[in-house]
Amino acid sequence: MLLAVDWAGVAQQVVAGLSSGGTYATLAVALVLIYRATGVVNFAQGELAMFSTFVAWTLTRHGFAYWPAFVVTVVASFAGGVALERVVIRPVERASVLTIAIVTIGLFFVVNGAAFWIWSPEVKSMPNAFSTRPIHVAGVAFSISDLGIIGVSLLAVLLLWLFFRFTKLGLAMRAAALNPDSSRLSGIRVSWTIALGWGLATALGAVAGLMAAPPLGSFDQNFMQPILLYAFAGAVLGGIDSALGAVVGSLALGVFLNLLGTYVSWVGTDLRQGVALAVILGVLLVKPAGLLGTATVRSV
């Protein structure tokens, strides 16, 4: 006897999963940008996104509507990311990978502590970016908020791809990430391309935070930490050195986690982070390069 499948419910959960995955994808691409430029994972990426979100919250408290606050925050985050690289990362840019990784871990705690000091630990809330009413397509109700988050997240990634693909500065940044020594000989200021990469990554993180915060209803200074874990899992799944892989992996992970949490009762919402960690471990054991990443060839 065949089991009846609620395809309308499945479709709703897939769209909700794509919404979560879109947020993960935006942050995952930010992780890839820093990884390709420095060879390390920026462990402070989620906290920088959280800090940007609190800046936007402050703007909304001072009379800004959501979207003007969004634009100002993303621009300010870009500038802040560049300044952060110049002040914190540049002094150690020629140090070992371990040293830079430790610096980003220290940055995690500094940014988190600064956010608690500036804004206090009380939970905050932001106005919704999109309408909360549903729209009905072929008898299936989809959330406008979910569709809007998917659209904004993918638009941010698309604009970044266009920048890297069709602008001289974007091409210079790609060249510097692939071969910094040859790029220096070609006249490219590699140090500044790394700074711009940090700026773009911080701006993308701001987009991720501003898409993630309103649907939560309330948030505090720790709200981006699980999202960073999911973004890292999506980047590892797709390929930590591939922006396209990070997007594909994050969207797939978002759908998988949402379906698993909805239809597997013992997973629910409590074990999703454990599943994400299992995905990271499984990919590293079976296919370390991820779905679309570049495999490393080692000579024996």
Side-chain angles (χ1 to χ4, degrees):
M1 182 177 178
L2 294 177
L3 295 175
V5 178
D6 179 14
W7 291 111
V10 171
Q12 290 174 352
Q13 295 305 321
V14 167
V15 171
L18 288 174
S19 174
S20 300
T23 302
Y24 307 156
T26 310
L27 197 61
V29 172
L31 291 171
V32 170
L33 280 176
I34 303 299
Y35 180 81
R36 293 186 65 172
T38 64
V40 299
V41 173
N42 179 15
F43 292 99
Q45 194 72 64
E47 298 309 282
L48 294 174
M50 173 273 295
F51 197 92
S52 296
T53 305
F54 272 79
V55 170
W57 174 83
T58 302
L59 292 175
T60 61
R61 296 282 289 180
H62 286 81
F64 280 69
Y66 177 88
W67 288 110
F70 178 97
V71 173
V72 172
T73 299
V74 170
V75 173
S77 297
F78 173 82
V82 172
L84 197 62
E85 195 281 335
R86 295 284 86 186
V87 174
V88 178
I89 303 300
R90 187 169 184 265
V92 296
E93 67 179 353
R94 295 184 181 275
S96 66
V97 169
L98 178 60
T99 298
I100 301 174
I102 291 173
V103 169
T104 67
I105 293 173
L107 191 59
F108 172 100
F109 291 106
V110 169
V111 174
N112 185 270
F116 273 104
W117 178 64
I118 296 170
W119 287 290
S120 80
E122 287 140 5
V123 296
K124 312 293 191 292
S125 62
M126 287 189 67
N128 286 312
F130 304 97
S131 170
T132 55
R133 69 178 179 84
I135 59 173
H136 296 270
V137 179
V140 181
F142 296 107
S143 167
I144 291 179
S145 178
D146 286 341
L147 296 175
I149 291 171
I150 294 169
V152 171
S153 300
L154 295 183
L155 178 62
V157 173
L158 175 62
L159 290 175
L160 187 70
W161 177 81
L162 292 172
F163 169 76
F164 280 117
R165 179 68 176 82
F166 295 108
T167 68
K168 287 183 66 175
L169 181 56
L171 292 172
M173 291 177 67
R174 289 171 60 192
L178 289 172
N179 196 327
D181 293 331
S182 296
S183 298
R184 288 188 181 94
L185 294 175
S186 302
I188 296 174
R189 301 179 67 180
V190 173
S191 181
W192 270 106
T193 64
I194 294 174
L196 292 174
W198 271 78
L200 290 172
T202 308
L204 277 177
V207 174
L210 288 166
M211 289 295 100
L216 293 176
S218 61
F219 58 93
D220 61 13
Q221 285 83 350
N222 298 318
F223 86 100
M224 285 300 295
Q225 292 173 15
I227 296 174
L228 177 64
L229 172 62
Y230 299 139
F232 182 56
V236 170
L237 177 61
I240 192 64
D241 62 346
S242 169
L244 176 61
V247 173
V248 173
S250 296
L251 292 175
L253 182 71
V255 172
F256 174 68
L257 289 177
N258 206 54
L259 290 175
L260 197 68
T262 301
Y263 295 107
V264 180
S265 59
W266 57 269
V267 173
T269 58
D270 297 328
L271 292 181
R272 293 190 187 191
Q273 294 182 43
V275 173
L277 287 170
V279 169
I280 295 173
L281 180 60
V283 172
L284 292 177
L285 289 174
V286 177
K287 189 173 173 41
L291 297 174
L292 299 175
T294 305
T296 301
V297 178
R298 299 181 183 273
S299 57
V300 180

